[in-house]
Amino acid sequence: AFDTDFGINGGVPIGVGDHFDEPADVCALPDGSSIVTGWWQPYLNANEGVYVLRVLPDGTVDQTYGDGGYTALHDTVMSWLPANIAAASDGSVYVASIRFSTDPDIYQLVVQHFQPDGTHDTAFGTNGVTVIPVPGNYVNQYPAGLAVLPNDLVVVTPTTDMAGLIC
């Protein structure tokens, strides 16, 4: 049944940045809260960035998470379109995205790690980003799945156009 007591009439308004934002995926945490990831645009015609936001079991945004309820990252060189989120055993989360630039044409499958308090883990990969080597230059291809195994290893599966690749 639809829970109208959750959030505001059953929904949670998400407002990240001053322009556009769009949720892409959500994962549940053992404490009943959930983490939402999506893309945001801080101003018109800006590159898209990644955000993570924690929603408490009652549907309110956790204002103690990140910076006032969320962490939003923006890159002035490349756009980021997150597709998947998965929780680790410690309450941290991993986000799989496509990172791209059209000048020059660069398309990368990337994973980021966010600590349980919402801070971006800059020790993960290089400056907080792990680039997954993908053969070719796949325009508009996205991560199809993301999982964190019990031993905290991360598995990413790309879209079917990159069939046969599990990272």
Side-chain angles (χ1 to χ4, degrees):
F2 187 72
D3 183 2
T4 57
D5 291 332
F6 179 79
I8 300 172
N9 297 321
V12 179
I14 296 174
V16 177
D18 295 329
H19 201 54
F20 295 116
D21 56 77
E22 184 175 308
D25 198 14
V26 63
C27 70
L29 297 177
D31 66 0
S33 63
S34 55
I35 306 289
V36 177
T37 189
W39 66 268
W40 72 292
Q41 198 174 35
Y43 51 88
L44 187 61
N45 297 324
N47 290 334
E48 294 86 356
V50 173
Y51 73 81
V52 290
L53 174 137
R54 182 166 42 208
V55 178
L56 297 172
D58 66 358
T60 58
V61 174
D62 181 357
Q63 296 299 315
T64 67
Y65 188 78
D67 184 14
Y70 63 89
T71 297
L73 303 175
H74 178 252
D75 186 332
T76 58
V77 178
M78 299 182 81
S79 288
W80 299 68
L81 295 177
N84 306 100
I85 189 168
S89 60
D90 65 356
S92 66
V93 295
Y94 292 88
V95 175
S97 306
I98 191 77
R99 179 171 73 173
F100 65 94
S101 169
T102 56
D103 184 27
D105 285 339
I106 299 171
Y107 296 86
Q108 300 171 327
L109 183 63
V110 296
V111 177
Q112 293 172 285
H113 182 237
F114 294 87
Q115 301 288 2
D117 65 358
T119 56
H120 185 224
D121 181 3
T122 56
F124 179 74
T126 302
N127 297 320
V129 178
T130 295
V131 177
I132 309 295
V134 177
N137 194 16
Y138 294 91
V139 178
N140 294 325
Q141 300 303 315
Y142 298 91
L146 175 68
V148 181
L149 302 178
N151 61 358
D152 285 332
L153 290 178
V154 178
V155 177
V156 181
T157 56
T159 58
T160 56
D161 285 355
M162 293 185 263
L165 179 66
I166 297 178
C167 310

